[in-house]
Amino acid sequence: MKRILMLAVAAVAATTGAVVAAAPAQAAPVGCGSGYFCVYNDINYSYNSGLYRTAGSDVDWYDNRFPNGKLVARHDSSWFNNGITGPGIPSYTKVFEGKEHVGAMTICLRAGTGFPRKPASSDRGGSHLWAFGC
């Protein structure tokens, strides 16, 4: 009987440990609705400094502006992928330095993740592409 009780306690402990160890999904920042890739003009998803969001790929950030008037291209400082997931749906977002998805990839995010800041990638984006992986 003690052995069965010990096995039950071990099983509960293992299950609880797995739940605790699992990383929770990030909550989407303000303004970044379901299905969108969001680019913020400032770090920490600052909605007031400018937000660009799109549900599709964009080959040219130079023809888009934040509400504050700045170009989206080369003024990206935080990013969040609030895309949807499922069979046959590209759920990763890749940001590239140049137009038409050329040049170095500056950042890649799977659905439900973001970077409130990433100095190595900041102010380098020129286009983005939805993809099936990084």
Side-chain angles (χ1 to χ4, degrees):
M1 186 67 158
K2 268 187 170 178
R3 184 171 180 203
I4 293 172
L5 183 59
M6 294 285 283
L7 289 173
V9 169
V12 169
T15 303
T16 303
V19 171
V20 171
Q26 291 180 331
V30 173
C32 192
S34 179
Y36 287 97
F37 171 60
C38 299
V39 179
Y40 295 82
N41 184 221
D42 207 351
I43 62 171
N44 299 320
Y45 313 122
S46 178
Y47 181 76
N48 293 330
S49 69
L51 164 65
Y52 165 70
R53 64 181 177 199
T54 179
S57 297
D58 188 343
V59 297
D60 186 1
W61 284 7
Y62 287 90
D63 62 3
N64 299 297
R65 294 189 179 273
F66 291 110
N68 64 10
K70 287 186 179 177
L71 284 174
V72 173
R74 305 284 190 242
H75 293 101
D76 52 324
S77 297
S78 53
W79 313 260
F80 195 87
N81 178 348
N82 203 17
I84 55 174
T85 60
I89 300 172
S91 58
Y92 288 77
T93 309
K94 297 178 180 183
V95 175
F96 295 89
E97 285 185 325
K99 295 178 182 180
E100 300 183 16
H101 316 132
V102 297
M105 183 174 61
T106 64
I107 202 163
C108 185
L109 300 163
R110 74 178 190 284
T113 64
F115 283 104
R117 71 180 306 153
K118 189 174 183 193
S121 301
S122 191
D123 299 330
R124 291 181 53 204
S127 62
H128 77 274
L129 171 71
W130 287 89
F132 290 99
C134 290

